């Protein structure tokens, strides 16, 4: 099985088999990015479980490029990944609901969504495609621009902006922006070379990819967080099913520990971002409730409408998400 490597080893003179899993993600390794930390926790916990299993982590798109990870993990070519799910919405349009403007709003609601009918439906699509979620993770996000502060829809007119997925792209186009699509790992180069005027991405990516080096103004999530994205840790179903019961239990337990760490630390990420950008001399603002409401109304006329019309069962999926209080 490609990606699942059995390495023979001798322990106390008795031959045993050490199964090695490869985990890939696009985020910087060893720099404090919370998604890298989650995968590193899983690797440490699996080793400590002593069930003949080891996880080798390949950060920074060093094993697979960001957009190649979904195909690799669902086919069993890659064992594990921390993956922004909306990146696969071209194959599974339902995933656009996991980066729908204004749908989540805050961390408490994001956590409640994990146990909702909405997420049951999303995880069914993930599993049918060939992967399993071992850790849930919702990250808040921000806007940054080289030209000025993004607050109301009018403020993006004429700017070339990177948005993480179709739903945000549709809303931003409706506001008068132009779109340049790319994974978050390429935003720095896009801003540096003038391909991008602005971007929205997670708070963690705004820090770990050092986007403050090119930004003039940052719009932090604040009390009116328009941007939340689901970025779970996934394991190949084909690979998981090939493991023995002890190894599967070790993976599940490690995933739970990584998720608990995430839930404890993620709220600190927005403040770390704000402090980092202020220290770099970047202006930091937040959207008012009126700004947020204007964006949400625009999203309902563009992103929500298109999702409901073009994705089978899309209207019901949105209803299930909105039903979570």
């Amino acid at each position: 099985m490609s990606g699942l490597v059995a390495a023979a080893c001798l322990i106390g003179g008795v031959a045993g088999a050490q199964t090695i899993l490869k985990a890939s993600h696009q985020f910087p390794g060893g720099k404090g990015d919370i998604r890298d930390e989650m995968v590193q926790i899983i690797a440490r916990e699996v080793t400590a479980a002593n069930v003949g299993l080891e996880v080798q982590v390949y950060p920074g798109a060093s094993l697979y490029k960001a957009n190649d990870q979904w195909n690799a993990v669902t086919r069993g070519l890659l064992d594990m990944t921390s993956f922004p799910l909306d990146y696969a919405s071209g194959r599974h349009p339902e995933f656009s609901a996991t980066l729908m403007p204004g749908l989540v709003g805050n961390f408490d609601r994001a956590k409640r969504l994990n146990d909702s009918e909405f997420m049951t439906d999303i995880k069914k699509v993930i599993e049918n495609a060939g992967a399993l979620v071992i850790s849930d993770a919702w990250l808040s996000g921000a806007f940054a621009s080289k030209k000025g502060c993004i607050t109301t829809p009018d403020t993006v007119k004429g700017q070339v902006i990177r948005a993480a997925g179709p739903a945000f792209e549709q809303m931003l186009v409706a506001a008068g922006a132009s779109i340049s699509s790319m994974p978050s790992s390429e935003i720095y180069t896009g801003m540096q070379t003038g391909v991008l005027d602005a971007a929205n991405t997670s708070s963690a990516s705004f820090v770990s990819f050092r986007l403050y080096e090119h930004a003039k103004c940052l719009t932090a999530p604040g009390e009116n967080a328009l941007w939340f994205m689901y970025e779970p840790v996934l394991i190949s179903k084909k690979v998981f099913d090939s493991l023995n019961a002890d190894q599967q239990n070790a993976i599940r337990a490690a995933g739970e520990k990584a998720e608990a760490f995430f839930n404890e630390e993620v709220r600190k990420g927005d403040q770390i971002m704000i402090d980092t950008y202020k220290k770099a001399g970047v202006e930091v603002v937040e959207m008012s409730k009126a700004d947020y409401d204007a964006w949400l109304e625009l999203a309902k006329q563009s992103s929500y409408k298109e999702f409901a019309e073009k994705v089978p069962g899309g209207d019901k999926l949105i209803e299930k998400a909105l039903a979570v209080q």
Side-chain angles (χ1 to χ4, degrees):
M1 179 184 300
S2 179
L4 187 64
V5 184
C9 61
L10 293 174
I11 303 174
V14 180
Q18 184 79 358
T19 300
I20 299 174
L21 304 183
K22 292 183 177 180
S24 166
H25 64 73
Q26 74 197 60
F27 312 108
K31 304 288 186 182
D33 189 291
I34 196 168
R35 294 154 296 192
D36 175 59
E37 291 294 327
M38 289 179 75
V39 180
Q40 300 289 353
I41 287 169
I42 290 169
R44 291 195 297 269
E45 290 297 312
V46 165
T47 298
N50 197 25
V51 291
L53 195 60
E54 180 185 340
V55 178
Q56 294 178 347
V57 183
Y58 295 82
S62 57
L63 187 63
Y64 281 93
K65 290 182 179 178
N67 287 327
D68 294 336
Q69 293 175 124
W70 174 258
N71 187 51
V73 79
T74 53
R75 292 176 60 193
L77 303 174
L78 171 65
D79 305 315
M80 193 180 297
T81 181
S82 171
F83 185 72
L85 195 65
D86 192 83
Y87 282 20
S89 60
R91 293 175 182 267
H92 305 281
E94 300 94 334
F95 293 165
S96 286
T98 65
L99 184 57
M100 189 65 68
L103 196 64
V104 180
N106 59 63
F107 288 115
D108 289 336
R109 194 158 181 279
K111 196 172 178 182
R112 290 195 295 274
L113 276 173
N114 291 336
D115 299 316
S116 68
E117 284 187 46
F118 167 77
M119 192 52 70
T120 298
D121 290 352
I122 293 293
K123 288 181 178 177
K124 196 175 296 180
V125 178
I126 294 171
E127 183 170 356
N128 288 342
L132 300 169
V133 174
I134 57 174
S135 300
D136 291 311
W138 289 90
L139 281 91
S140 57
F143 290 81
S145 174
K146 294 163 63 176
K147 291 190 169 182
C149 298
I150 295 173
T151 50
T152 64
D154 285 346
T155 57
V156 299
K157 279 184 180 176
Q159 296 201 51
V160 179
I161 188 168
R162 178 269 184 187
F168 263 85
E169 289 177 352
Q170 290 153 10
M171 179 188 71
L172 289 164
V173 167
S178 298
I179 301 297
S180 182
S181 300
M182 63 188 71
S184 58
S185 51
E186 296 175 15
I187 296 173
Y188 183 96
T189 303
M191 294 184 83
Q192 182 181 46
T193 58
V195 170
L196 293 176
D197 298 315
N200 67 2
T201 189
S202 69
S203 299
S205 289
F206 267 113
V207 176
S208 60
F209 290 122
R210 308 190 324 278
L211 303 184
Y212 49 82
E213 293 181 8
H214 299 294
K216 179 179 179 181
C217 183
L218 173 82
T219 308
E223 294 298 315
N224 301 291
L226 193 66
W227 197 105
F228 263 86
M229 187 176 194
Y230 185 57
E231 304 189 28
V233 181
L234 304 173
I235 189 168
S236 165
K237 188 174 187 301
K238 182 179 180 182
V239 170
F240 186 80
D241 289 346
S242 73
L243 302 175
N244 64 42
D246 287 342
Q247 292 170 334
Q248 290 179 347
N249 288 336
I251 290 284
R252 290 192 190 98
E256 288 175 6
K257 191 150 190 176
E259 185 176 325
F261 163 82
F262 175 86
N263 289 334
E264 181 69 25
E265 294 294 319
V266 69
R267 297 167 193 265
K268 302 173 186 176
D270 290 347
Q271 192 59 50
I272 290 170
M273 175 184 65
I274 289 166
D275 293 345
T276 302
Y277 275 68
K278 284 183 176 178
K279 186 177 178 182
V282 178
E283 183 179 359
V284 177
V285 299
E286 294 180 1
M287 287 185 190
S288 67
K289 183 65 165 58
D291 296 337
Y292 173 88
D293 288 343
W295 279 110
L296 192 57
E297 187 56 38
L298 188 62
K300 288 176 178 176
Q301 295 168 12
S302 53
S303 312
Y304 284 50
K305 186 172 182 286
E306 188 152 339
F307 187 82
E309 289 175 352
K310 296 195 173 179
V311 178
D315 54 345
K316 297 295 182 187
L317 198 56
I318 294 293
E319 284 175 17
K320 287 178 180 180
L322 292 173
V324 177
Q325 298 303 315

